[in-house]
Amino acid sequence: MTAIRAAVLRTAGRPTLVEPLELAEPRAGEVRVRILASGVCHSDLHVRDGEWPRPTPIAMGHEGAGVVDAVGPGVRTLAVGQPVALSWLVPCGTCRSCRSGRPWACPDSPSFRHRMPDGATVLAAADGAPVLSYCGIGTMAEATVVPEAAAIPLPEGVDPAVAALIGCCVSTGVGAVRKTAQVPAGASVAVVGLGGVGLSCVMGAVLAGASRIVAIDRVAAKLDAASAVGATDGLAVTDDPAETIEALRDLTDGGPDYVFEAIGRTDTVELAIDCLPLGGTAVLVGMTPFEARASFAVYPLVDGSRRILGSNYGFAEPAVDFPLYAALHLAGRLPVERLIDRRITLDDLEGAFDRLRAGVGLRQVVVFA
C-alpha cells in the first residue's frame, strides 16, 4: 500500500475534503501513475454539487496526467518513467459499440462504476473503508492505480498540465469538430460558451480550416481568449436571444454551418438550434444536469434539413487521439497552454469550484510537486 492525499467527496453538495488514503499496489494488467496535474472540469462540479448523482465516498478528478511509477504483471505497453495522460472511459471491449469501433459509446465501461474492471477498489480510508475513484481513475490525488488501457503514452516534452487537458476537454472539444461533426474546410462555425471545452472547439475549427469562427460568450476576457486561439470574431451574448441570433446571422451570411454548444444549459442549447440556417448542424457538447430538458420547433428543423448531433468525449479513441493532439501541440498547431489560467494546489480545490460555478476564468489545473 502507498500513502497518498486525495480530494474526497463524502456527501454531494458538501465541500470536498483532502484526506490521507491508502493506495493499493498494481495487480495484473494495472499500473500506478504518479499524478502531476489534474484539470478542474465542469463535470467534477456537477458531481460535487449533486447535479450528477454518484456513489460516495469517491476520490474526485477525471482529467489527469502523470508518470508511470509501477506496473503490474502482464503490462506490455507501458514502462516505469513513461509520461501518460489518463482516459476517463475504458471500454468494455465486448459490447455492440466496442465491436463496431465506437468505444466512446460503450454502455458497460467499468469507468461508470468508478471501480476497476473486476469491481475492485484501489483506495481505502484510514479506517480501511473502501473509497471509489471517479471514472475509475480519481485524478485529484497524488497517485492512482488504473487499468493499463486507461494510461495513454505521450511523447516527451508535453507539459503535464497540457497533457491533463488532452485527457478530457481538448479531446472533447477538438474531437467534436473533427470527428463528430467532421467540419469541412471553408465551413462557418460558431461556438457558444468559452470554457476549456468551448475553446477546444475553437481550436478544432482552426485545425479543420473553417472560414469563419465566431466565439460567443458573456465574458469579454473569454472572447479575447478565443481570439488568441484562432476565432475570427467574438460575439457578446445579450439578454435577448433574438438579438444574439440576428448578430450571429449577420456575421455568418445567414447563420453558421455548424454551431457547437459547449456550456450545457438549456437556453444555450435552444439558441444553438434556433440560429441554424438551412442545412445547418447544431452539435451539443456541453453536459447539462441530468433532468434538464430543452425544446425546439420541429417543423423548421425537418423542413430545413437541419441536424442536431450529440458528442460525448469528442468520439475519442484515446490510444489514437491523445498522441495526435500532443503532437499537434508540440508542433505549435494546438495551443492548449492558452486554456490554462490558474495552476493551484489540491487544497485550493473548493475555491476553484467557486470560480467555475461563477463562470470566472478559463481552465484551472491542480498541480502536484
Side-chain angles (χ1 to χ4, degrees):
M1 302 289 278
T2 300
I4 64 166
R5 295 170 74 242
V8 177
L9 181 70
R10 291 195 169 272
T11 304
R14 302 289 297 171
T16 54
L17 304 172
V18 178
E19 299 185 14
L21 299 177
E22 292 292 329
L23 177 66
E25 296 302 307
R27 304 172 301 165
E30 299 173 356
V31 298
R32 187 175 69 221
V33 176
R34 178 167 59 89
I35 298 295
L36 298 177
S38 180
V40 184
C41 179
H42 213 107
S43 297
D44 299 306
L45 181 63
H46 282 307
V47 174
R48 185 257 182 246
D49 287 352
E51 294 175 338
W52 292 2
R54 294 290 187 268
T56 57
I58 190 167
M60 296 290 287
H62 66 285
E63 185 178 72
V67 176
V68 175
D69 71 356
V71 299
V75 171
R76 294 182 175 85
T77 63
L78 297 164
V80 172
Q82 197 157 27
V84 293
L86 297 182
S87 169
W88 58 259
L89 195 152
V90 174
C92 73
T94 59
C95 71
R96 180 176 65 181
S97 294
C98 289
R99 294 196 310 271
S100 62
R102 298 180 295 123
W104 60 86
C106 175
D108 197 35
S109 166
S111 305
F112 302 146
R113 296 185 289 275
H114 315 288
R115 297 172 177 269
M116 302 301 280
D118 65 356
T121 56
V122 298
L123 294 171
D127 62 1
V131 175
L132 300 173
S133 302
Y134 186 37
C135 291
I137 58 177
T139 59
M140 289 179 180
E142 293 172 334
T144 187
V145 168
V146 300
E148 180 180 6
I152 310 301
L154 292 186
E156 296 284 349
V158 180
D159 178 351
V162 167
L165 301 194
I166 287 173
C168 183
C169 80
V170 170
S171 293
T172 297
V174 174
V177 176
R178 63 179 291 270
K179 301 187 75 174
T180 306
Q182 299 180 23
V183 171
S188 58
V189 168
V191 179
V192 183
L194 301 174
V197 172
L199 291 172
S200 295
C201 289
V202 172
M203 293 192 297
V206 173
L207 288 174
S211 60
R212 200 80 182 248
I213 306 169
V214 182
I216 303 171
D217 205 286
R218 291 186 178 275
V219 181
K222 292 187 176 184
L223 297 176
D224 293 340
S227 176
V229 298
T232 60
D233 301 271
L235 179 59
V237 174
T238 71
D239 291 331
D240 183 355
E243 288 183 6
T244 303
I245 291 171
E246 182 179 1
L248 179 57
R249 287 175 175 163
D250 287 344
L251 287 170
T252 54
D253 191 25
D257 297 315
Y258 296 86
V259 56
F260 294 83
E261 197 283 341
I263 303 174
R265 292 170 51 104
T266 55
D267 56 344
T268 48
V269 166
E270 291 168 356
L271 174 72
I273 296 168
D274 289 344
C275 74
L276 294 176
L278 294 174
T281 300
V283 186
L284 308 186
V285 187
M287 302 293 281
T288 67
F290 274 10
E291 302 304 320
R293 300 180 69 87
S295 63
F296 60 90
V298 176
Y299 182 87
L301 187 87
V302 178
D303 184 59
S305 298
R306 297 168 173 90
R307 296 189 300 162
I308 303 172
L309 301 177
S311 182
N312 179 37
Y313 208 2
F315 286 13
E317 299 174 79
V320 175
D321 294 331
F322 289 10
L324 170 63
Y325 298 148
L328 288 169
H329 168 70
L330 291 173
R333 297 181 59 198
L334 199 59
V336 180
E337 74 283 352
R338 292 183 177 271
L339 309 187
I340 303 167
D341 71 341
R342 289 181 79 225
R343 296 175 187 243
I344 63 175
T345 69
L346 198 58
D347 295 305
D348 299 323
L349 181 58
E350 279 299 314
F353 282 146
D354 289 340
R355 295 180 86 247
L356 189 58
R357 202 179 287 112
V360 176
L362 305 177
R363 207 54 155 205
Q364 304 170 88
V365 180
V366 176
V367 293
F368 298 84

